Amino acid sequence: GEDVEQSLFLSVREGDSSVINCTYTDSSSTYLYWYKQEPGAGLQLLTYIFSNMDMKQDQRLTVLLNKKDKHLSLRIADTQTGDSAIYFCAESFTGGGNKLTFGTGTQLKVEL
Amino acid sequence: NAGVTQNPKFQVLKTGQSMTLQCAQDMNHNSMYWYRQDPGMGLRLIYYSASEGTTDKGEVPNGYNVSRLNKREFSLRLESAAPSQTSVYFCASTDIRGLGDEQYFGPGTRLTVT
C-alpha cells in the first residue's frame, strides 16, 4: 500500500520562507501534487510535478522532488497571512483512474 | 460555472439512520470521486467513478454505496449510519488526460452521527 506522511504543524513569521515536507513510499507514482485547504473549504490545487522532474518553480512556490529518498517539499517564499491553511501532498499513478493518495496534511500558521 | 456543488452542507444523523449526499459538477468531467476527511488522516478515497456508468471501490468503501446518476451527478449513500462515519465528505471531479490532471473539489458536507 501507499503511505504519504507529513508533519502536522508549521509556524512561520510573515515574510519568512516556509518549507513543507512530504515523504512517500510508492516509487511508481506518476505525478505529485500540492493542494491547499482554507478553513471550511474544499481543496484547491497549488501546483504539481511530474515524477521525472527534480524541481518546479511557480511564482512564490518551489517544489523539489528527491526520488531516491522519496521526498517532496513545497517552499513558499515571502509567506503571507493569506497562506495560512492546511497543505496536502498527494500522488497519482498511471492507469489508476487518477486516484489520489493524500498525505496527512500540514497546518501552516503565519504569524505577524 | 458553479464547479462542484454538494448538498447538504451540514447534517446530523442518529445511529442507524440513512441518508444520501449529493454531488454535481458542471465542467463536463468524466471522473468523479468521494473522499472523507478525518483529523490527522488526510483525505481517504471512498468510491470513484472513472466514467459515466462505472463505479469502483476506493480505500474505505465499507458502509457506503454510490450511484453515478449521469455524467454530472455522483451520490454517496449511507444505509445505516454509524458514529465512525462522522466526518467531512468531499466530492471531486476531473478529466483524465495524463497531464497532472487537477481534481476540483466541492465545499464539503459535514456529517455528525450521534
Side-chain angles (χ1 to χ4, degrees), chain A residues 17-47:
Chain A
S17 292
S18 309
V19 179
I20 302 171
N21 295 300
C22 172
T23 58
Y24 58 97
T25 57
D26 196 317
S27 58
S28 60
S29 54
T30 309
Y31 288 95
L32 293 122
Y33 303 81
W34 284 104
Y35 279 83
K36 176 183 179 182
Q37 183 183 32
E38 296 186 354
L43 280 69
Q44 284 187 302
L45 180 67
L46 278 180
T47 187

Side-chain angles (χ1 to χ4, degrees), chain B residues 22-111:
Chain B
Q22 310 285 352
C23 173
Q25 51 91 10
D26 62 1
M27 295 172 283
N28 203 36
H29 287 164
N30 286 315
S31 303
M32 298 184 73
Y33 309 81
W34 275 106
Y35 295 90
R36 60 177 289 172
Q37 182 179 20
D38 301 292
M41 300 188 75
L43 276 76
R44 293 179 292 168
L45 183 66
I46 305 171
Y47 271 92
Y48 69 104
S49 171
S51 60
E52 188 179 353
T54 70
T55 59
D56 286 286
K57 295 178 181 179
E59 185 186 348
V60 289
N62 290 346
Y64 305 95
N65 284 301
V66 289
S67 295
R68 183 74 183 266
L69 303 167
N70 48 54
K71 193 171 186 180
R72 288 187 64 245
E73 299 171 288
F74 188 38
S75 63
L76 178 72
R77 183 158 178 84
L78 287 71
E79 289 291 352
S80 179
S84 60
Q85 294 177 304
T86 293
S87 188
V88 182
Y89 291 85
F90 289 100
C91 177
S93 71
T94 192
D95 255 349
I96 299 174
R97 301 192 191 101
L99 295 172
D101 308 310
E102 176 178 0
Q103 287 193 15
Y104 293 82
F105 284 79
T109 294
R110 283 147 185 83
L111 176 67

Side-chain angles (χ1 to χ4, degrees), chain A residues 24-78:
Chain A
Y24 58 97
T25 57
D26 196 317
S27 58
S28 60
S29 54
T30 309
Y31 288 95
L32 293 122
Y33 303 81
W34 284 104
Y35 279 83
K36 176 183 179 182
Q37 183 183 32
E38 296 186 354
L43 280 69
Q44 284 187 302
L45 180 67
L46 278 180
T47 187
Y48 67 91
I49 188 168
F50 188 46
S51 58
N52 70 352
M53 295 171 63
D54 298 323
M55 185 182 91
K56 181 178 180 181
Q57 186 143 7
D58 184 358
Q59 300 183 329
R60 291 192 298 124
L61 306 177
T62 303
V63 178
L64 295 178
L65 176 59
N66 181 329
K67 287 181 67 176
K68 176 175 167 287
D69 294 337
K70 298 189 180 69
H71 184 264
L72 179 74
S73 68
L74 173 70
R75 179 177 181 269
I76 305 172
D78 187 25

